[in-house]
Amino acid sequence: MDRIILFDGECNFCDKSVQFIIKRDPEAYFKFASLQSDVGKKLMKQYNAPEDIDSFVLIENNKYYLKSSAALRVCKHLKGLWKFPYFFLAVPVPIRDFFYEIIAQNRYKWFGKKESCMLPSPEERKRFL
């Protein structure tokens, strides 16, 4: 079963988040695609995900997850103490997403925007769709 993370390919914070996940995902549970790519657009359409999402989407078990639900579900598969944030799924979605939105709405201002895509290593490249 593929677990696919769709991310904003223009966002420095999103790029750093992908690198963070790769380092803590030695089992390579996750594959990646930018939301702006043809693959990303196709997957969003295939899963009937909202078109206005522009930050982070997880596709897992033939469902899509957005915002804090996506981020916390990713944590479940990371090594070390990074698994623990998964338990925040018990917090009601409106509360979780309130904090998620603060970061998402300010990510370009706080972390900047990319002019070009990162160049993954050959090993990492296998994980990008």
Short mmCIF file of all heavy atoms in Angstrom, two decimals, residues 24 26-27 29 72-88:
data_model
loop_
_atom_site.label_atom_id
_atom_site.label_comp_id
_atom_site.label_asym_id
_atom_site.label_seq_id
_atom_site.Cartn_x
_atom_site.Cartn_y
_atom_site.Cartn_z
N ARG A 24 13.50 10.44 8.86
CA ARG A 24 12.90 9.69 9.97
C ARG A 24 11.97 8.58 9.50
O ARG A 24 11.21 8.05 10.28
CB ARG A 24 12.17 10.67 10.88
CG ARG A 24 13.15 11.50 11.68
CD ARG A 24 12.60 12.83 12.10
NE ARG A 24 13.63 13.65 12.72
CZ ARG A 24 14.49 14.41 12.05
NH1 ARG A 24 14.44 14.45 10.73
NH2 ARG A 24 15.39 15.13 12.68
N PRO A 26 12.93 5.44 7.78
CA PRO A 26 13.88 4.49 7.19
C PRO A 26 13.22 3.34 6.45
O PRO A 26 13.85 2.72 5.59
CB PRO A 26 14.68 3.99 8.40
CG PRO A 26 13.79 4.21 9.57
CD PRO A 26 12.96 5.43 9.24
N GLU A 27 11.96 3.05 6.77
CA GLU A 27 11.26 1.98 6.07
C GLU A 27 10.67 2.44 4.74
O GLU A 27 10.06 1.65 4.02
CB GLU A 27 10.12 1.44 6.96
CG GLU A 27 10.58 0.92 8.31
CD GLU A 27 11.54 -0.24 8.19
OE1 GLU A 27 11.34 -1.10 7.30
OE2 GLU A 27 12.49 -0.29 8.99
N TYR A 29 8.04 4.30 4.11
CA TYR A 29 6.59 4.19 4.03
C TYR A 29 6.01 5.19 3.03
O TYR A 29 5.01 4.92 2.40
CB TYR A 29 5.94 4.48 5.39
CG TYR A 29 6.04 3.38 6.40
CD1 TYR A 29 6.83 3.53 7.52
CD2 TYR A 29 5.32 2.19 6.25
CE1 TYR A 29 6.91 2.53 8.47
CE2 TYR A 29 5.40 1.19 7.19
CZ TYR A 29 6.20 1.36 8.30
OH TYR A 29 6.28 0.37 9.23
N LEU A 72 -0.37 14.64 11.43
CA LEU A 72 -0.30 13.75 12.59
C LEU A 72 -0.28 12.28 12.18
O LEU A 72 0.38 11.45 12.83
CB LEU A 72 -1.46 14.04 13.55
CG LEU A 72 -1.38 15.42 14.22
CD1 LEU A 72 -2.66 15.70 15.00
CD2 LEU A 72 -0.15 15.55 15.09
N ARG A 73 -0.97 11.93 11.11
CA ARG A 73 -0.94 10.54 10.63
C ARG A 73 0.45 10.18 10.11
O ARG A 73 0.87 9.03 10.22
CB ARG A 73 -2.00 10.31 9.57
CG ARG A 73 -3.39 10.24 10.14
CD ARG A 73 -4.45 10.07 9.05
NE ARG A 73 -5.74 9.97 9.66
CZ ARG A 73 -6.23 8.85 10.21
NH1 ARG A 73 -5.53 7.75 10.19
NH2 ARG A 73 -7.42 8.84 10.76
N VAL A 74 1.15 11.14 9.55
CA VAL A 74 2.52 10.89 9.11
C VAL A 74 3.39 10.55 10.32
O VAL A 74 4.22 9.64 10.27
CB VAL A 74 3.08 12.11 8.35
CG1 VAL A 74 4.58 12.00 8.16
CG2 VAL A 74 2.39 12.24 6.99
N CYS A 75 3.20 11.27 11.42
CA CYS A 75 4.01 11.06 12.62
C CYS A 75 3.97 9.60 13.09
O CYS A 75 4.97 9.10 13.62
CB CYS A 75 3.54 11.96 13.76
SG CYS A 75 3.91 13.70 13.47
N LYS A 76 2.86 8.95 12.91
CA LYS A 76 2.70 7.56 13.35
C LYS A 76 3.79 6.65 12.79
O LYS A 76 4.19 5.67 13.42
CB LYS A 76 1.33 7.05 12.94
CG LYS A 76 1.05 5.62 13.32
CD LYS A 76 -0.33 5.19 12.86
CE LYS A 76 -0.63 3.77 13.27
NZ LYS A 76 -1.96 3.35 12.80
N HIS A 77 4.31 6.96 11.61
CA HIS A 77 5.26 6.09 10.93
C HIS A 77 6.71 6.57 11.04
O HIS A 77 7.60 5.94 10.46
CB HIS A 77 4.87 5.94 9.47
CG HIS A 77 3.51 5.35 9.30
ND1 HIS A 77 3.24 4.02 9.52
CD2 HIS A 77 2.32 5.92 8.99
CE1 HIS A 77 1.95 3.79 9.32
NE2 HIS A 77 1.38 4.92 8.99
N LEU A 78 6.95 7.66 11.74
CA LEU A 78 8.32 8.16 11.88
C LEU A 78 9.02 7.45 13.03
O LEU A 78 8.39 7.01 13.98
CB LEU A 78 8.30 9.68 12.10
CG LEU A 78 7.64 10.49 11.01
CD1 LEU A 78 7.72 11.97 11.34
CD2 LEU A 78 8.24 10.22 9.65
N LYS A 79 10.33 7.37 12.94
CA LYS A 79 11.07 6.68 13.99
C LYS A 79 11.28 7.59 15.20
O LYS A 79 11.24 8.81 15.09
CB LYS A 79 12.40 6.14 13.47
CG LYS A 79 13.44 7.19 13.17
CD LYS A 79 14.73 6.54 12.71
CE LYS A 79 15.77 7.62 12.48
NZ LYS A 79 17.03 7.09 12.05
N GLY A 80 11.47 6.98 16.33
CA GLY A 80 11.79 7.71 17.54
C GLY A 80 10.57 8.36 18.18
O GLY A 80 9.43 7.92 18.00
N LEU A 81 10.83 9.40 18.93
CA LEU A 81 9.78 10.11 19.66
C LEU A 81 8.80 10.84 18.76
O LEU A 81 7.78 11.33 19.24
CB LEU A 81 10.41 11.09 20.66
CG LEU A 81 11.22 10.45 21.79
CD1 LEU A 81 11.87 11.52 22.64
CD2 LEU A 81 10.35 9.54 22.63
N TRP A 82 9.10 10.92 17.47
CA TRP A 82 8.21 11.63 16.54
C TRP A 82 6.88 10.90 16.36
O TRP A 82 5.96 11.44 15.78
CB TRP A 82 8.91 11.85 15.20
CG TRP A 82 10.05 12.80 15.40
CD1 TRP A 82 11.37 12.49 15.42
CD2 TRP A 82 9.95 14.19 15.66
NE1 TRP A 82 12.10 13.62 15.67
CE2 TRP A 82 11.26 14.68 15.83
CE3 TRP A 82 8.88 15.09 15.78
CZ2 TRP A 82 11.53 16.01 16.10
CZ3 TRP A 82 9.15 16.41 16.05
CH2 TRP A 82 10.46 16.87 16.20
N LYS A 83 6.77 9.68 16.86
CA LYS A 83 5.49 8.95 16.79
C LYS A 83 4.45 9.56 17.74
O LYS A 83 3.27 9.48 17.50
CB LYS A 83 5.69 7.49 17.20
CG LYS A 83 6.49 6.67 16.22
CD LYS A 83 6.61 5.25 16.72
CE LYS A 83 7.44 4.38 15.84
NZ LYS A 83 7.08 4.32 14.45
N PHE A 84 4.90 10.16 18.84
CA PHE A 84 3.98 10.62 19.87
C PHE A 84 2.99 11.70 19.44
O PHE A 84 1.85 11.68 19.91
CB PHE A 84 4.75 11.06 21.11
CG PHE A 84 5.35 9.89 21.84
CD1 PHE A 84 6.73 9.72 21.88
CD2 PHE A 84 4.56 8.93 22.44
CE1 PHE A 84 7.30 8.64 22.52
CE2 PHE A 84 5.11 7.84 23.09
CZ PHE A 84 6.48 7.69 23.13
N PRO A 85 3.34 12.63 18.56
CA PRO A 85 2.31 13.61 18.15
C PRO A 85 1.06 12.96 17.53
O PRO A 85 -0.01 13.58 17.52
CB PRO A 85 3.03 14.50 17.14
CG PRO A 85 4.47 14.42 17.57
CD PRO A 85 4.65 12.99 18.05
N TYR A 86 1.19 11.73 17.05
CA TYR A 86 0.04 11.02 16.48
C TYR A 86 -1.14 11.01 17.45
O TYR A 86 -2.30 11.09 17.05
CB TYR A 86 0.45 9.59 16.12
CG TYR A 86 -0.68 8.71 15.65
CD1 TYR A 86 -1.26 8.90 14.40
CD2 TYR A 86 -1.18 7.69 16.45
CE1 TYR A 86 -2.30 8.09 13.96
CE2 TYR A 86 -2.22 6.87 16.02
CZ TYR A 86 -2.77 7.08 14.78
OH TYR A 86 -3.81 6.29 14.35
N PHE A 87 -0.87 10.98 18.74
CA PHE A 87 -1.94 10.93 19.74
C PHE A 87 -2.75 12.22 19.81
O PHE A 87 -3.84 12.23 20.36
CB PHE A 87 -1.37 10.55 21.11
CG PHE A 87 -0.79 9.17 21.12
CD1 PHE A 87 0.58 8.97 21.14
CD2 PHE A 87 -1.62 8.05 21.05
CE1 PHE A 87 1.12 7.69 21.12
CE2 PHE A 87 -1.10 6.77 21.03
CZ PHE A 87 0.27 6.59 21.06
N PHE A 88 -2.24 13.30 19.21
CA PHE A 88 -3.01 14.54 19.17
C PHE A 88 -4.22 14.43 18.24
O PHE A 88 -5.06 15.33 18.20
CB PHE A 88 -2.13 15.73 18.75
CG PHE A 88 -1.26 16.23 19.87
CD1 PHE A 88 0.09 15.98 19.88
CD2 PHE A 88 -1.81 16.95 20.92
CE1 PHE A 88 0.90 16.43 20.90
CE2 PHE A 88 -1.02 17.40 21.96
CZ PHE A 88 0.33 17.15 21.95
#
